Amino acid sequence: MIRFVDFVFSKRCYPGSDVAKKKTTEICVEDILNDFAELPDPRSHVNQRHLLGDIIVISIMAVIAGADGPKAIGVWAKSNEDWLKDRLKLPSGVPSHDTIGRVLMTLKPAAFQSCFERWIKRLSGKPKQGELDIVAIDGKALRRSHDRAGGLGPLFLVSAWAVTRGISLGQLATAEKSNEITAIPELLDQIEIKKSVVTIDAAGCQRNIAAKIVDGKGDYVLALKGNQGTLHDAVIDYITRHMENDFADTTVRKHVERVKGHGRNDELIYYQLPVPEELVGKEKWKNMRTIGVVIRMSESGKKWTSDVRYYISSLALGVKRFAACVRGHWGIENTLHWCLDVTFREDESRVRNRILADNLAWLKRFAISLLKQVDNKESIAMRRRMAGWNPNFLAQVLGIPTS
């Protein structure tokens, strides 16, 4: 176990600074360290030279500052040894990258992540009054983590992302993308979804998943595709039939958005309708109250493209809320996954050990969550560079006193 007395961080609460102000409440260093107090130490106690707490804190700091694996974490620690000695006990100096790698390969990912959950809950706080709390769940493959010679496919991670708060709530590793259906219910058991709207793409559009969300006191917006063939066809048929006469015979809500960016002009048209009584299979979906369609027309140069997506939801009629949830789900791709690939270069990772890859992936998601809480105008990439250039800025990101 990590003991709080193993650390020499100040026990004062640190409210942040002009450089790194938090959106949420003050972060108390003592509370942060206590979050890891129950983490089991997987190492033998024989000839143990480094404190588990030192290794964990160094790993968190190094990943925020730009490290992407044990070697880089070890190099960062050695480069900042004097600064770290003022903040950690380090009885045998900074640990080597081999020591760091061995620890990250033996820490159970579930236990490791559960220690972060308490930190995340305090960091994220509660949504503001009237603010929609959207939790987007989606999967992502670490494309270069495969080992063809060993018959090992790429690691696939299912993540939960609190869109409005910019917080990674949890992740679950699976051997294959097809296991996403079984991973999502397990992930829902690990996170708080009460009063949240959970959005999932078509792979997670399953009756048991919808029921689990409702049982957790949340709402759902689920993308609908051919994997739910009968329901999918029935929703398309119903919406298309009424669209042909401009919805004259049914209740409908419509919302239009025009978005410009990255050399492209998008027009998005949202339609939301109550679930019709005669909809095939309606009774099998817990609390299904509305259906919807989003039509996106994009212009890039002289090229036009279009895309149509259908949804089922437990939300009541309120098309702007429906639109916010659909946009929010796209946010997990644009905010989390894009940042992981471009800023944290996750897709380039060649780590084959599944436990190490899982723990490193979580450290990166946690780092993004912390960096997004910094209240300045810089990008996540620039904040990460600043954390690597300036240890005091890094300390402020974590809520650690700089003096």
Side-chain angles (χ1 to χ4, degrees):
M1 298 288 184
I2 299 175
R3 299 175 302 159
F4 177 68
V5 295
D6 289 338
F7 296 86
V8 293
F9 280 140
S10 168
K11 296 182 181 180
R12 294 181 292 115
C13 285
Y14 182 61
S17 71
D18 291 336
V19 180
K21 293 179 180 177
K22 301 295 178 183
K23 295 179 184 178
T24 53
T25 57
E26 295 180 355
I27 298 177
C28 185
V29 174
E30 182 175 2
D31 289 340
I32 292 173
L33 300 177
N34 284 338
D35 288 338
F36 296 90
E38 300 303 319
L39 182 62
D41 192 334
R43 302 171 298 168
S44 168
H45 293 288
V46 179
N47 296 324
Q48 194 178 103
R49 299 175 59 230
H50 301 284
L51 301 172
L52 180 60
D54 287 354
I55 295 172
I56 298 300
V57 173
I58 286 171
S59 298
I60 295 169
M61 287 182 167
V63 170
I64 293 172
D68 56 6
K71 179 65 180 291
I73 293 171
V75 171
W76 178 88
K78 191 65 178 177
S79 301
N80 292 275
E81 186 168 5
D82 291 340
W83 186 82
L84 288 169
K85 281 181 177 178
D86 290 336
R87 290 160 176 80
L88 297 169
K89 275 195 169 183
L90 299 176
S92 300
V94 297
S96 69
H97 72 269
D98 287 329
T99 298
I100 293 167
R102 283 194 297 270
V103 170
L104 291 178
M105 280 192 286
T106 52
L107 283 173
K108 292 183 178 179
F112 190 43
Q113 292 178 38
S114 68
C115 291
F116 283 102
E117 288 177 8
R118 291 185 291 273
W119 193 347
I120 286 171
K121 286 177 182 178
R122 184 173 56 259
L123 176 69
S124 62
K126 296 180 179 180
K128 297 176 182 177
Q129 185 68 29
E131 189 176 61
L132 190 60
D133 189 24
I134 303 168
V135 176
I137 295 180
D138 198 15
K140 178 184 182 298
L142 277 62
R143 300 186 186 281
R144 298 191 67 188
S145 62
H146 62 82
D147 183 2
R148 290 192 181 95
L152 190 67
L155 182 66
F156 192 80
L157 297 168
V158 181
S159 300
W161 178 253
V163 175
T164 308
R165 293 173 283 164
I167 296 289
S168 188
L169 300 177
Q171 75 174 31
L172 204 63
T174 70
E176 299 176 2
K177 181 175 174 57
S178 59
N179 293 340
E180 187 174 359
I181 294 173
T182 57
I184 290 174
E186 292 182 47
L187 184 57
L188 287 170
D189 285 334
Q190 297 176 13
I191 62 176
E192 176 61 58
I193 60 171
K194 185 177 181 180
K195 297 183 179 179
S196 300
V197 183
V198 179
T199 65
I200 311 176
D201 64 14
C205 186
Q206 304 289 329
R207 292 192 294 269
N208 66 314
I209 291 174
K212 181 173 280 290
I213 293 168
V214 173
D215 292 342
K217 310 298 182 185
D219 281 296
Y220 60 82
V221 174
L222 306 179
L224 189 61
K225 283 189 178 179
N227 61 329
Q228 295 293 338
T230 303
L231 179 63
H232 182 235
D233 293 344
V235 168
I236 292 175
D237 179 68
Y238 182 81
I239 292 177
T240 303
R241 181 158 37 91
H242 285 284
M243 192 177 287
E244 289 173 351
N245 69 348
D246 201 24
F247 300 99
D249 300 325
T250 188
T251 302
V252 68
R253 298 288 186 271
K254 179 181 179 181
H255 177 61
V256 179
E257 295 175 342
R258 293 176 177 85
V259 182
K260 295 183 179 181
H262 304 289
R264 191 179 72 187
N265 296 325
D266 287 344
E267 182 176 79
L268 297 109
I269 306 172
Y270 302 85
Y271 293 98
Q272 188 190 32
L273 304 85
V275 173
E277 290 296 329
E278 69 274 18
L279 187 71
V280 176
K282 169 190 171 183
E283 70 284 351
K284 297 179 181 178
W285 294 84
K286 194 165 187 176
N287 278 23
M288 184 168 66
R289 301 171 69 186
T290 52
I291 57 177
V293 60
V294 181
I295 304 168
R296 176 160 60 181
M297 294 174 286
S298 301
E299 178 190 16
S300 181
K302 295 182 180 180
K303 184 179 179 181
W304 280 88
T305 58
S306 63
D307 180 45
V308 181
R309 302 187 187 188
Y310 296 88
Y311 297 85
I312 61 173
S313 173
S314 64
L315 294 175
L317 275 178
V319 69
K320 289 186 178 180
R321 192 181 187 206
F322 167 62
C325 292
V326 172
R327 286 196 314 274
H329 189 79
W330 294 339
I332 195 172
E333 285 288 344
N334 300 331
T335 304
L336 179 61
H337 292 170
W338 185 89
C339 189
L340 285 167
D341 287 341
V342 175
T343 303
F344 286 76
R345 301 171 66 183
E346 185 172 73
D347 255 359
E348 298 178 24
S349 173
R350 300 288 291 173
V351 174
R352 301 298 203 285
N353 183 280
R354 288 315 196 212
I355 294 176
L356 175 59
D358 196 350
N359 285 331
L360 286 173
W362 178 248
L363 282 170
K364 291 173 182 178
R365 283 155 178 76
F366 185 66
I368 291 174
S369 302
L370 288 171
L371 289 166
K372 283 190 70 67
Q373 305 313 302
V374 178
D375 189 12
N376 67 22
K377 296 181 180 180
E378 304 296 346
S379 66
I380 296 296
M382 183 56 70
R383 292 174 196 173
R384 197 182 190 206
R385 292 190 189 102
M386 291 168 65
W389 296 332
N390 184 352
N392 287 335
F393 180 84
L394 170 60
Q396 291 162 0
V397 171
L398 284 163
I400 298 169
T402 57
S403 59

